[in-house]
Amino acid sequence: MGHQYELSRIEKLAESLGLLSDRSTGTSKQRQGTSGAVNRIAAPGELSSYPDPETWHEWVEYDSTGEPTEYSVVPTACFNCEAGCGLLTYIDKETGSIRKIEGNPEHPGSRGRNCAKGPATVNQINDPQRIEHPLKRDGPRGSGQWTRVSWDEALDDIAGEMRDAIVADRGNEITYHVGRPGHEEYMDRVIQAWGVDGHNSHTNICSAGARAGYGLWHKYDRPSPDFANAEFILLLSAHLESGHYFNPHAQRIMEGMQDGGQLAVVDPRLSNTAAMADFWLPTQPGSEAAVLLAMANVILDEDLYDAEFVRNWVNWEQFLDEEFPDRERSFESYIETIREVYAEFTPAFAAAESGVDADTIETVARKIGTAGDRFASHIWRSAASGNDGGWQVSRTLHFLSVLTGSVGTKGGTAPNAWHKFDPHLPNEPPRQRLWDELQLPPEYPFAHYELSQLLPYFLKEGRGKLSVYFTRVFNPVYTYPDGFSWIEALTDEEKVGMHVALTPTWNETAYFADYVLPMGHSPERHDIQSQETHAGTWVTYRQPVLREYAEREGEDVEFTYEANPGEVWEEDEFWIELSWRLDEDGTLGIREHFESPYRDGDGDAPAKMTVDEYYRYIFEHEDNLVELAAEKDMTPLEYMKHHGAFEASENDYELHRESLDESILDADDVTVDEYGTIRRGEKPSSASASDDSDVLGVMVDGEPKRGFPTPTGKQQFYSRTMAEWGWDDLEYTVPHYLKSHVHPENVDYENGEMVLVPTFRLPTAIHSRSSNSKWLEEISHNNPVWLHTKDADRLGLETGDLCRVETEIGYYVNEVWVTESIKPGIAAMSHHMGQWKIDRPDNDESDVQEGGDPYGKVTVDLNTEAGRWGMRQVEGIHPFESDDSDSERVWWTDGGVAQNLTHAPHPDPVSGMHCWHQKVTIRPAEADDYYGDIYVDTERSFEIYREWLAETKPAPGPDGLRRPKWLKRPIAPPTDSGADAGWFVDGPIGRPGRWDPESLSTTADEE
């Protein structure tokens, strides 16, 4: 709207001389503001941030010339990180295209606010080199030769390969490998319908370390902090500006601080978050657990712990029985015992390990203890993903929540599942009964999620093969350590039979696929998402907005690719169509799970489920949503299409205290054991054999309560499960401090070695999907090596100088940024930069040219010989011609350096997490080094993999188990007796060969 204002004398003089137009009434903007032709959306003097949802389909805005534009505003959800923030797309009714993207105020998590990545989605949609049609390899794999095919051709070919594997009892040679999840249980349902154990993920390079530590406490493997109501917040990451769910969490952290709360950040780097904190604790990488235990020591010694919570909700009796059987089994004895156990972890000890001042550690500890049940904390990657033993970091962090009684409280930290939407699915298939040793091998019984980062080495040593390998928004060649070993595996057709890349963009992994199938960005696809952003539960509906707009305008759309650009499709419909063709006549028992829950077919042929029917079914089975939709005279599906999100519950606190019906205690098969655990049936022979279904709750003060899904129904301070698998020292059975592989004892500082911290990111980066966004790339396009001034002086380096960073398996060359925002002796470098495309000659015979996102991908020359790989940048970022005039305005030349290629595999022997921190030597670049040069020896990488593998304690565990039944795992086989064969080392594996960890060889499977 136009605004009135008083002109200055200079402006009035300039107007009278004709040097300026009449700025008070002469511009179209001012005429617009005074003509009365524009309807105000707020009263004079008031502002409105968003249009009213009732006006979304008939919304009018005025541009800078005063001309109106009619929009249909359609909600969806962002897909550029895991937070799932709400978006509103503004579809120009004249052109039918998306004009701009803003936040959705109806979204309970993001509340209408977005980071830069959300609005930048419009760049991704208009990417001048996006993939718009299905492509099939038309030459050797990795040759860059492609031909366009139809969706029917691709579906039939892929379904045929899958059918052959399933019929031949090689179902586990089908693997779905996801990089950016977004669905709530959709793919679980699909894979279960196929009857295979085919789920793989990126989690073991992301969060498996933190998950394992949390999971050992209470099975739930992610935290849900209530930052807005916290009195004290402790973050082990750069969380506020670049961490997990950073937009929704950042909002609430700021709210908590504005309300008087304080913030402490543990990070060797002075991140933006640390700079805004009340306390910055720049720890030596790997020392974090020592610092946290020192804080626990202070809380115990100064009686700041919550005795009621610890007494009633922690398995302290079992701890005393198992580890100190000669001591009195009393709560007072337990407190005295753990004071002794942690006596060595004084603030002075932690200061010596971490380099953080002992007084600061004590001060923060008292702040935590004083905050009590309003202490909130979070860790996701950071120290838990950087260090050998990093799972003990999250475990010791949660120990502070347990001691303060802040588990699930208002202002505390809850289990994530308390704040996650759990959909009721149509035609749900039974759980598959296989166990794929290529995903969860016997060496890693405690791995939280699949050992995906080791897949190339598993293939190399002959553990199995892949007949059909789906990579979905997943780019391991770029994001994983030692991406060259991935190229070696993907180009070997004996190891990987058919590689299908489902991706919205060209990426380094798709270059080595057989099919590249274009999948939509967030406004071009269906799915639902729910994340633990605060003490409530919400679900957001991601939808293809052009399809929704077309249907609002009365058009019939059968498939989403009919409304999207080109033939860009979506995964939901793709999997329905593929599964239907996989089981053409229904004899495999797959097709029935994709039949319509509402319609009958013609004659004997069943009706295929549509994507609308799938989500209609889910939404109609959420009672609160049904009620809310009815109030607006809508069906639940109509409500979600119009509003885009729904809050299922709020203020979900202390669910473990929920009372149970006392009549359960009268059942003949229900008993209460010596620890107060309410059980149904016989007590399992081991903690590992419990699947938590036998635990109904826990007795507290004579009343049955819900408790936690663990073998005792309580918080597991002591893990009998760890002891049963040979990890029986106190360093493993209770929260403790494990020295990292980059502990100073293991780093030769005198001879120039340093610790590289590569686990942080910039808030404008999208893993490997930023390079197609001109706005994001203009903001952030390089990732220099952070060096402290002392280290730079020692090395004779200044900001902008080239340095060579030497790792265990090679080196890379990058620029230096000299700063005092990093701890001396530590180097740091952001990931999410340095994407590349291969320098290829134009192929006049190919009808498709391989793309490369020229806003952010550099062009490289790639060479290999006998496992030794070299990469050199031959062309940086530069202006280019396209339909977007901005492409000729590109001013930056730098695309960053792909450091992950040079990282050796470091699988933690317990959690399976890749330990990202690297021991490196940094020196000035040599005369023939160029910016971005990379060298890697993949044979040495394989040797290091074997060295770390030797530190594991393989299955079998108690009673021949592969893994403790009560711990989480994706798409798990049934745990019920008689149906649980997959959980045992001699159970069905869906492959012709079985791996022997002792001989490091495969033998024919006799199943």
Side-chain angles (χ1 to χ4, degrees):
M1 292 180 291
H3 298 275
Q4 302 298 317
Y5 57 89
E6 286 294 323
L7 301 180
S8 69
R9 284 185 290 179
I10 293 176
E11 286 176 311
K12 290 178 180 178
L13 176 63
E15 281 186 2
S16 67
L17 295 174
L19 300 177
L20 289 178
S21 62
D22 183 348
R23 296 177 64 77
S24 57
T25 60
T27 66
S28 59
K29 185 173 183 179
Q30 296 305 320
R31 287 193 299 271
Q32 167 192 322
T34 58
S35 67
V38 180
N39 295 322
R40 289 183 175 273
I41 61 174
E46 296 180 6
L47 297 177
S48 177
S49 299
Y50 303 95
D52 188 303
E54 300 303 316
T55 67
W56 280 359
H57 188 51
E58 305 291 343
W59 179 246
V60 177
E61 284 191 3
Y62 292 80
D63 62 23
S64 58
T65 67
E67 294 300 317
T69 301
E70 293 187 43
Y71 291 106
S72 180
V73 180
V74 183
T76 187
C78 189
F79 192 60
N80 285 339
C81 87
E82 198 171 354
C85 296
L87 298 178
L88 294 181
T89 60
Y90 288 69
I91 300 172
D92 187 326
K93 288 190 171 184
E94 182 177 346
T95 64
S97 61
I98 300 172
R99 183 79 172 269
K100 66 175 182 177
I101 296 176
E102 295 181 342
N104 181 4
E106 299 283 285
H107 191 291
S110 56
R111 303 181 292 190
R113 308 166 198 172
N114 294 102
C115 72
K117 296 195 289 290
T121 301
V122 74
N123 295 163
Q124 298 172 311
I125 294 167
N126 298 319
D127 171 13
Q129 290 197 8
R130 73 174 301 182
I131 309 161
E132 291 194 341
H133 304 280
L135 303 177
K136 184 177 182 180
R137 172 168 62 94
D138 194 27
R141 194 179 289 171
S143 66
Q145 297 171 276
W146 303 94
T147 189
R148 179 174 162 180
V149 296
S150 68
W151 278 112
D152 282 336
E153 181 180 348
L155 286 164
D156 288 342
D157 192 16
I158 298 165
E161 291 291 328
M162 294 175 65
R163 190 182 310 110
D164 289 347
I166 291 172
V167 170
D169 293 326
R170 296 181 289 105
N172 274 358
E173 291 183 359
I174 300 169
T175 292
Y176 163 81
H177 207 152
V178 60
R180 168 52 56 225
H183 298 81
E184 296 299 332
E185 301 184 21
Y186 189 96
M187 278 311 300
D188 298 23
R189 179 184 175 283
V190 171
I191 293 171
Q192 300 278 27
W194 296 345
V196 304
D197 188 19
H199 183 276
N200 211 330
S201 69
H202 77 294
T203 308
N204 260 310
I205 64 149
C206 179
S207 58
R211 288 175 183 269
Y214 284 116
L216 286 169
W217 272 106
H218 52 201
K219 185 173 181 174
Y220 306 114
D221 61 356
R222 301 165 72 139
S224 180
D226 185 24
F227 289 132
N229 295 300
E231 291 184 7
F232 197 85
I233 299 169
L234 179 61
L235 302 178
L236 271 74
S237 67
H239 190 82
L240 180 58
E241 91 279 6
S242 61
H244 200 56
Y245 310 155
F246 81 90
N247 167 36
H249 275 182
Q251 295 179 36
R252 291 166 174 88
I253 291 170
M254 290 187 286
E255 288 169 8
M257 295 178 72
Q258 289 168 349
D259 202 30
Q262 289 188 297
L263 172 66
V265 173
V266 177
D267 195 331
R269 199 176 54 90
L270 184 63
S271 64
N272 292 344
T273 306
M276 299 297 291
D278 298 283
F279 302 93
W280 175 38
L281 287 71
T283 46
Q284 175 73 22
S287 67
E288 292 80 5
V291 172
L292 297 171
L293 290 176
M295 293 176 181
N297 191 339
V298 172
I299 290 169
L300 287 166
D301 284 350
E302 299 186 8
D303 292 328
L304 298 174
Y305 59 90
D306 185 331
E308 183 277 330
F309 182 86
V310 178
R311 182 193 302 271
N312 290 326
W313 300 102
V314 174
N315 69 335
W316 58 267
E317 298 104 326
Q318 187 179 46
F319 167 67
L320 291 176
D321 286 353
E322 299 282 349
E323 294 291 342
F324 298 92
D326 296 333
R327 299 196 178 188
E328 178 187 3
R329 193 210 275 182
S330 69
F331 182 67
E332 293 72 21
S333 175
Y334 167 68
I335 293 297
E336 187 58 35
T337 299
I338 62 173
R339 281 175 173 157
E340 294 174 13
V341 169
Y342 296 118
E344 67 178 293
F345 295 102
T346 63
F349 172 82
E353 288 292 288
S354 68
V356 176
D357 182 72
D359 289 341
T360 301
I361 295 172
E362 283 192 52
T363 299
V364 171
R366 292 191 184 101
K367 293 280 186 181
I368 292 171
T370 303
D373 62 7
R374 293 213 175 199
F375 163 61
S377 64
H378 200 283
I379 183 173
W380 202 236
R381 299 194 70 201
S382 185
S385 67
N387 299 287
D388 185 5
W391 52 276
Q392 280 285 34
V393 179
S394 55
R395 197 179 183 195
T396 51
L397 178 62
H398 187 71
F399 188 27
L400 298 181
S401 297
V402 171
L403 287 175
T404 55
S406 57
V407 178
T409 57
K410 184 175 183 177
T413 306
N416 72 306
W418 291 6
H419 304 148
K420 286 275 287 182
F421 178 74
D422 186 17
H424 185 72
L425 306 178
N427 301 339
E428 196 160 5
R431 294 161 71 176
Q432 60 82 24
R433 299 196 175 198
L434 305 175
W435 192 288
D436 188 7
E437 295 186 329
L438 215 58
Q439 322 289 349
L440 286 162
E443 291 94 338
Y444 296 93
F446 286 86
H448 265 61
Y449 286 72
E450 310 86 355
L451 274 297
S452 63
Q453 79 274 29
L454 302 183
L455 182 58
Y457 313 111
F458 292 164
L459 294 171
K460 187 171 186 173
E461 62 191 356
R463 294 191 185 215
K465 64 167 291 185
L466 302 175
S467 292
V468 181
Y469 182 49
F470 295 100
T471 53
R472 183 240 174 181
V473 196
F474 176 60
N475 188 12
V477 171
Y478 168 78
T479 57
Y480 274 40
D482 182 22
F484 291 127
S485 283
W486 280 87
I487 295 177
E488 291 175 354
L490 292 174
T491 52
D492 187 340
E493 297 185 37
E494 293 298 314
K495 294 181 174 65
V496 180
M498 175 185 281
H499 174 198
V500 182
L502 308 172
T503 175
T505 63
W506 283 106
N507 63 56
E508 290 83 347
T509 302
Y511 296 148
F512 300 95
D514 298 298
Y515 281 99
V516 175
L517 304 182
M519 295 293 157
H521 293 290
S522 56
E524 300 170 333
R525 50 180 295 132
H526 287 95
D527 55 58
I528 56 174
Q529 191 168 348
S530 174
Q531 302 296 165
E532 58 279 9
T533 57
H534 61 286
T537 301
W538 54 263
V539 61
T540 188
Y541 185 46
R542 192 175 283 118
Q543 62 181 328
V545 299
L546 294 180
R547 175 175 181 162
E548 170 61 13
Y549 170 65
E551 291 174 349
R552 288 182 182 183
E553 293 292 297
E555 295 182 31
D556 290 327
V557 181
E558 182 180 6
F559 294 116
T560 295
Y561 63 72
E562 298 169 8
N564 276 344
E567 292 181 290
V568 172
W569 209 358
E570 60 163 299
E571 286 90 342
D572 282 15
E573 286 185 336
F574 173 81
W575 295 122
I576 293 172
E577 290 299 312
L578 180 65
S579 301
W580 198 264
R581 298 181 192 219
L582 172 59
D583 188 14
E584 294 172 305
D585 55 8
T587 57
L588 296 179
I590 296 172
R591 191 177 67 180
E592 63 190 84
H593 303 296
F594 299 89
E595 294 174 6
S596 170
Y598 298 103
R599 295 175 293 114
D600 295 325
D602 296 329
D604 295 333
K608 190 192 312 175
M609 180 165 53
T610 67
V611 71
D612 266 4
E613 289 176 331
Y614 177 82
Y615 289 107
R616 172 189 167 187
Y617 186 93
I618 290 174
F619 297 148
E620 287 180 350
H621 284 78
E622 172 52 48
D623 291 341
N624 292 339
L625 177 56
V626 171
E627 182 179 340
L628 181 61
E631 292 174 2
K632 293 184 175 292
D633 197 26
M634 292 179 170
T635 68
L637 179 61
E638 288 171 343
Y639 180 93
M640 292 300 285
K641 285 186 174 186
H642 184 77
H643 291 272
F646 161 71
E647 187 161 39
S649 65
E650 55 184 343
N651 298 322
D652 299 325
Y653 296 118
E654 299 190 271
L655 301 188
H656 60 287
R657 295 183 184 271
E658 289 182 353
S659 296
L660 303 179
D661 187 338
E662 292 192 7
S663 65
I664 65 169
L665 301 176
D666 299 330
D668 292 338
D669 61 343
V670 172
T671 58
V672 179
D673 70 13
E674 68 271 33
Y675 302 130
T677 307
I678 307 170
R679 297 185 179 279
R680 169 166 281 135
E682 294 184 10
K683 186 174 182 178
S685 58
S686 65
S688 300
S690 172
D691 65 356
D692 81 46
S693 66
D694 60 308
V695 177
L696 304 181
V698 63
M699 297 297 295
V700 176
D701 294 332
E703 296 184 11
K705 301 290 184 178
R706 168 177 166 175
F708 299 92
T710 66
T712 63
K714 299 182 178 183
Q715 291 281 307
Q716 303 292 104
F717 167 78
Y718 170 75
S719 176
R720 182 181 174 189
T721 306
M722 291 289 289
E724 290 172 348
W725 291 77
W727 303 99
D728 50 6
D729 294 335
L730 281 178
E731 286 186 338
Y732 298 96
T733 57
V734 302
H736 218 280
Y737 173 44
L738 300 174
K739 289 184 177 179
S740 170
H741 65 297
V742 292
H743 187 276
E745 294 175 354
N746 302 320
V747 181
D748 189 354
Y749 283 102
E750 291 187 2
N751 287 316
E753 287 186 342
M754 300 177 67
V755 178
L756 174 68
V757 175
T759 50
F760 76 96
R761 70 177 180 189
L762 304 179
T764 51
I766 312 171
H767 293 283
S768 67
R769 291 182 291 118
S770 307
S771 60
N772 62 350
S773 170
K774 60 185 179 183
W775 294 343
L776 299 181
E777 285 296 326
E778 183 172 21
I779 296 170
S780 306
H781 45 260
N782 59 5
N783 54 342
V785 177
W786 292 34
L787 285 180
H788 191 273
T789 51
K790 292 180 180 178
D791 295 311
D793 289 344
R794 172 176 57 84
L795 295 168
L797 291 168
E798 297 180 355
T799 294
D801 288 349
L802 291 182
C803 69
R804 177 186 281 209
V805 181
E806 297 174 352
T807 69
E808 295 171 279
I809 62 171
Y811 67 84
Y812 61 86
V813 178
N814 196 1
E815 291 181 338
V816 168
W817 184 52
V818 180
T819 176
E820 295 197 357
S821 296
I822 187 74
K823 194 176 182 70
I826 310 299
M829 183 174 163
S830 169
H831 53 113
H832 301 89
M833 295 286 175
Q835 284 201 259
W836 49 271
K837 58 182 178 180
I838 302 171
D839 187 23
R840 303 192 193 278
D842 289 339
N843 188 350
D844 295 334
E845 297 180 2
S846 176
D847 60 352
V848 177
Q849 296 297 319
E850 198 169 69
D853 298 336
Y855 290 115
K857 276 190 172 72
V858 299
T859 304
V860 302
D861 185 24
L862 200 59
N863 293 294
T864 180
E865 183 177 353
R868 290 173 174 81
W869 289 79
M871 176 186 287
R872 172 158 288 181
Q873 296 187 10
V874 297
E875 188 173 72
I877 310 303
H878 56 79
F880 61 98
E881 292 184 4
S882 76
D883 293 337
D884 181 357
S885 59
D886 278 351
S887 67
E888 298 186 49
R889 302 186 182 105
V890 172
W891 54 267
W892 60 97
T893 60
D894 196 349
V897 178
Q899 61 166 326
N900 294 3
L901 289 167
T902 69
H903 292 184
H906 295 158
D908 182 276
V910 174
S911 70
M913 175 75 212
H914 172 64
C915 305
W916 279 103
H917 291 165
Q918 303 283 316
K919 184 170 63 176
V920 300
T921 300
I922 299 178
R923 64 181 80 251
E926 298 182 3
D928 58 348
D929 283 342
Y930 287 80
Y931 174 80
D933 278 359
I934 287 173
Y935 169 79
V936 169
D937 182 345
T938 56
E939 293 300 320
R940 176 59 186 143
S941 186
F942 183 79
E943 292 171 0
I944 293 170
Y945 148 70
R946 281 285 180 85
E947 291 168 8
W948 283 68
L949 185 72
E951 299 300 315
T952 62
K953 294 182 185 294
D959 303 316
L961 282 169
R962 291 183 173 279
R963 174 185 180 85
K965 282 186 175 182
W966 71 274
L967 289 177
K968 290 181 67 175
R969 66 142 286 184
I971 314 184
T975 55
D976 302 334
S977 179
D980 60 351
W983 285 89
F984 297 89
V985 291
D986 58 355
I989 59 173
R991 291 182 175 277
R994 191 180 294 269
W995 180 253
D996 177 20
E998 290 188 12
S999 65
L1000 297 177
S1001 62
T1002 301
T1003 57
D1005 184 31
E1006 301 299 328
E1007 288 290 324

